[in-house]
Amino acid sequence: MDSKLIVYNTLTRQKETFKPIDEEVVGMYVCGPTVYGDAHLGHAKSYVSFDLVYRYLVHIFPKVKYVQNITDVGHLTDDADEGDDKIAKQSRLEKIDPMAVVERYMFNYFRDMDALNVRRADIYPRPSGHIPEQIEIILDLIAKGFAYEVNGSVYFDVAKYDETFDYGKLSGRSVEEMMEGAANRTLAAQSDKKNGFDFALWKRADPSHLMQWNSPWGKGFPGWHIECTVMSQKYLGDNFDIHGGGLENQFPHHECEIAQAEAHTGKAFANYWLHNNMVTINGQKMGKSLGNGIFCSELFTGDNFQLERAYSPMTIRFFILQSHYRSTLDFSNDALEAASKGFARLQKGLDRINELEASDKSTIDISSLKDSLYHAMNDDFNSPIAISKLFDSLKMVAALEAGEETITIADLELFKSLFNTFFFDILGLEVEETGTQSNEITDELMGLILDFRKAAKEQRDWGTADKIRDKLKELNIGIKDSTDGASWEFEK
RNA sequence: GGUCUCGUGGCCGAGCGGCUAGGCUGCGGUCUGCAAAACCGCCUACAGCGGUUCGAAUCCGCUCGAGACCUCCA
C-alpha cells in the first residue's frame, strides 16, 4: 500500500509515478460521448475503464474532481457526409429538434452507464452552454497570432504554433511529416486554410445549419476541439492532472486540445494523458460500416443477432475489467459466458467470507494478499491482476472452510474489508439481484415444497424428488442438497 | 504509402529477460440416492524465421497477420 501509483502517460509513452498538482484534489477530465445515438459496447469499455481510474483515485486521494463533457454540438458523421453534423443528421432522421436528440440520447447514456454502475462525474459540461467561453478563447488565440479568420471561419495556425511549441508531441507526429503526408495524398477539397493541417476553431454556418450562434465573425458554430480545451480549463484550471479519452481521439482531437490550451495560456495543459483501447467483436473491429455494433441496451436484453442471450450489466462490467484498459478487448459469446460464470463464483465468495469462523491464530497471510491487490492497481490500474488475486483468495476461503487453515478475528476482519473494498468500491461491482425477488410467500412456499421433497426422499421415492427438482429448475429455481438439508435460490 | 500499437494454450486474458497469473471450457476425482453447487487434481502456450544473451513469450531484425490514426469536416 506504500507503493506509488504508476500510470502510463501517452505524452511520454511510458509509465510514470503519478504526482498530483494538489494532493488534496486530483483533477480529471475525460472526453465524453457525442449524444446522437445510444451507447454501445465501445462506450461501455471506455467509461467503465475511466470509472475504474476514478474509483481508484477516489480511494487513494482525499478528493477527486471529475469532469466529463457531453458533446451536443455535433461533428460531421463521416467522410462521405458533408454539411450535416451527427446530431443534425439524427435530428432530421427523427424529425425532432437537435437539442431533443441530445436530450434523448444523453438520458439513454446515463441510463446505460448507471446500469454498468459507472459513477457520475462531478460536472457534465456541454459545449452549447459554453459558447461565450469558447468565443473568448478564440479571440485570445487570434490576438496572440495563433489563429486567423477567413470568411467567417476561424482556424488554428498549426505552423505558427509549432514555431514555439511542439505540435504532435502527444501522438508522435511532426508538422514536417504531416506536410509530406499531405503532399502524398490526394486531397480533394480546397479550403480557406493556410495549411491543410490547420483546424477549425469556429465555422461559419449557412442559414440551413440547424445549430448556430452569433459571434464576432458572424453566425456560426464552434469547432470540435475547442470545447474540451475550454471546459476542462474552466472547471479544472489551466494546468490539471489527468486527461482521458479513447485511443482514436489521440489525433487529432487531443493534439489540438493541447495546442489550443498551451497557445492560450503559455502553460502546460494536462500532465497525464490516459487512453483506453477499443473493442473488437469476434476478432473484428466494431464499426458502423461492418454492421456489427452492439448497443448496451441490446447486451442487457440479448436483442441482437450476434448475441446468444442477454448478459447482465455486471457481467459486462466484470468482462471489461478482466482485461486491461489499454488492451483491446475481444467480444464473443463464449468470452461473455466465461465472464458470467466467473463473476457468479466471485460473488458467492462475498457470502462465503462472511461465514468464515475466526480462530486464535492465522496460518494464512492476509497482508500479502493486500499488498498484491494494491500492487496490481498501483501498476496502471491493472484490474485483471487484481481480479485474479481475488480468485486466488477464494482458494484460501476453501481451505479455511475445510479447516485446513485458520485465521484470527483481526485477520478475518481485514480479509472481509479488503475483499469488499475491492469488489464494491474499487472494481465497482455489485451483487446482482437474480431477477426475481424472494419474499415471505415464496419463502414459505419453497419451504413447503422442500418439505414434501424431503419426505419423498425419506421414502426413497427418487422419482418424485427429482421431478420436483427438475420442475423447479424449469422455473429457474435451483435446489442444492447438502448434509444439512436442501436449500434453494433463484438462478439466471 | 506514412506514424503507432498488437499477435499468448480449446476460448477470453495477465505477464514483458530466469521463478511455468487468473477466469471459462474439457477430462479425472471428492461429496451426493443421482444431480447441482463447492472443493482437489490434470491439460506447460507465447504467429513464423533469424539474431543478442549463460538464459527470451519478454530485447533486436525480417516475414506474415490484425488494429488505431493520417490534417475535407469533426
Side-chain angles (χ1 to χ4, degrees):
Chain A
M1 176 100 192
D2 298 329
S3 59
K4 296 269 183 11
L5 172 62
I6 306 288
V7 300
Y8 181 86
N9 189 354
T10 309
L11 208 50
T12 56
R13 293 181 184 275
Q14 57 190 17
K15 288 184 181 178
E16 298 176 354
T17 301
F18 178 70
K19 292 193 203 80
I21 297 161
D22 177 357
E23 288 276 349
E24 294 302 308
V25 189
V26 174
M28 176 161 86
Y29 184 89
V30 172
C31 285
T34 301
V35 281
Y36 68 103
D38 279 337
H40 51 63
L41 193 53
H43 291 111
K45 173 160 163 67
S46 186
Y47 300 115
V48 165
S49 296
F50 283 107
D51 185 51
L52 175 76
V53 170
Y54 177 53
R55 284 168 178 276
Y56 194 60
L57 291 174
V58 165
H59 183 70
I60 60 178
F61 289 102
K63 191 166 163 47
V64 181
K65 191 170 175 185
Y66 181 16
V67 181
Q68 184 182 104
N69 62 308
I70 296 286
T71 296
D72 62 358
V73 180
H75 338 312
L76 283 218
T77 44
D78 57 56
D79 289 359
D81 278 303
E82 295 201 346
D84 262 355
D85 69 36
K86 292 170 177 170
I87 290 167
K89 188 179 178 186
Q90 192 65 26
S91 110
R92 290 200 167 91
L93 209 62
E94 298 191 30
K95 294 188 174 20
I96 55 176
D97 284 356
M99 276 301 152
V101 170
V102 167
E103 291 295 314
R104 168 176 300 171
Y105 293 110
M106 183 177 71
F107 284 115
N108 285 358
Y109 169 74
F110 284 129
R111 176 198 66 199
D112 293 339
M113 293 305 125
D114 287 349
L116 290 166
N117 203 26
V118 169
R119 287 187 62 176
R120 296 275 179 113
D122 295 297
I123 307 172
Y124 284 101
R126 289 160 56 171
S128 66
H130 296 75
I131 300 293
E133 289 92 335
Q134 296 182 74
I135 289 173
E136 200 178 313
I137 189 174
I138 294 169
L139 284 169
D140 179 68
L141 289 171
I142 294 174
K144 290 192 165 106
F146 290 113
Y148 56 91
E149 185 211 340
V150 182
N151 293 329
S153 293
V154 182
Y155 296 98
F156 189 89
D157 192 337
V158 170
K160 165 77 177 166
Y161 171 80
D162 197 51
E163 286 171 15
T164 40
F165 295 89
D166 178 13
Y167 186 77
K169 66 180 175 183
L170 180 71
S171 55
R173 282 154 217 271
S174 71
V175 169
E176 294 74 43
E177 273 169 14
M178 287 189 288
M179 284 189 165
E180 289 168 25
N184 291 336
R185 282 164 64 101
T186 46
L187 296 175
Q190 81 299 353
S191 101
D192 299 329
K193 297 176 182 178
K194 284 192 199 168
N195 281 303
F197 43 72
D198 289 349
F199 55 90
L201 297 170
W202 186 266
K203 283 291 282 182
R204 186 183 56 145
D206 61 55
S208 71
H209 207 90
L210 290 171
M211 284 190 284
Q212 48 180 287
W213 291 265
N214 286 316
S215 81
W217 318 282
K219 295 242 183 204
F221 54 95
W224 173 36
H225 314 304
I226 197 71
E227 67 178 64
C228 285
T229 300
V230 165
M231 299 191 298
S232 60
Q233 292 192 322
K234 170 159 181 161
Y235 298 106
L236 296 172
D238 292 346
N239 174 230
F240 58 93
D241 297 305
I242 296 173
H243 189 126
L247 202 57
E248 80 284 2
N249 280 334
Q250 212 177 89
F251 188 90
H253 184 54
H254 295 156
E255 200 71 70
C256 295
E257 277 187 55
I258 293 173
Q260 292 161 345
E262 300 191 352
H264 173 53
T265 65
K267 288 185 265 187
F269 185 45
N271 291 147
Y272 301 89
W273 283 83
L274 272 47
H275 289 99
N276 70 278
N277 218 315
M278 322 309 289
V279 174
T280 56
I281 294 184
N282 298 312
Q284 212 182 14
K285 76 165 181 173
M286 187 174 88
K288 245 183 203 169
S289 56
L290 291 163
N292 63 350
I294 302 177
F295 291 125
C296 293
S297 51
E298 294 174 334
L299 286 165
F300 305 156
T301 60
D303 184 21
N304 180 292
F305 72 98
Q306 295 167 101
L307 298 172
E308 281 167 13
R309 69 172 179 89
Y311 299 96
S312 70
M314 277 308 110
T315 295
I316 303 297
R317 184 176 175 106
F318 181 74
F319 172 62
I320 291 168
L321 293 174
Q322 264 197 307
S323 84
H324 189 88
Y325 78 93
R326 281 193 292 113
S327 298
T328 53
L329 173 61
D330 191 46
F331 169 94
S332 65
N333 281 286
D334 285 348
L336 269 188
E337 201 61 52
S340 174
K341 291 191 176 159
F343 179 55
R345 192 153 78 85
L346 200 62
Q347 269 188 91
K348 285 177 188 160
L350 289 164
D351 290 333
R352 292 172 61 196
I353 291 170
N354 279 332
E355 283 163 19
L356 290 175
E357 310 237 332
S359 162
D360 53 2
K361 75 176 178 93
S362 285
T363 56
I364 54 172
D365 189 357
I366 297 296
S367 70
S368 75
L369 170 67
K370 180 177 178 177
D371 289 345
S372 66
L373 284 167
Y374 280 100
H375 185 262
M377 287 305 294
N378 280 331
D379 184 12
D380 198 26
F381 313 100
N382 200 326
S383 56
I385 293 285
I387 289 171
S388 81
K389 298 303 174 190
L390 292 180
F391 276 114
D392 283 345
S393 80
L394 256 29
K395 286 195 178 28
M396 287 195 322
V397 173
L400 288 164
E401 285 170 338
E404 292 159 6
E405 305 277 1
T406 59
I407 188 167
T408 62
I409 186 77
D411 275 351
L412 181 56
E413 289 308 313
L414 177 62
F415 189 12
K416 280 182 194 172
S417 105
L418 201 55
F419 200 98
N420 279 276
T421 298
F422 272 78
F423 187 95
F424 293 107
D425 301 341
I426 295 174
L427 296 172
L429 297 166
E430 289 177 314
V431 173
E432 292 197 300
E433 303 302 343
T434 40
T436 315
Q437 288 298 300
S438 68
N439 56 36
E440 278 184 46
I441 299 286
T442 49
D443 286 345
E444 290 292 322
L445 286 172
M446 284 307 301
L448 185 64
I449 292 167
L450 289 181
D451 277 347
F452 279 125
R453 182 161 174 272
K454 188 180 172 196
K457 284 178 71 174
E458 280 164 359
Q459 301 293 315
R460 302 198 146 262
D461 179 1
W462 308 129
T464 303
D466 288 352
K467 185 177 178 185
I468 291 172
R469 188 173 64 199
D470 293 345
K471 282 289 175 189
L472 288 173
K473 181 79 184 168
E474 286 173 22
L475 298 171
N476 290 326
I477 295 171
I479 301 298
K480 290 179 201 170
D481 289 323
S482 72
T483 46
D484 315 327
S487 65
W488 66 279
E489 65 177 11
F490 286 119
E491 294 173 338
K492 279 198 305 169

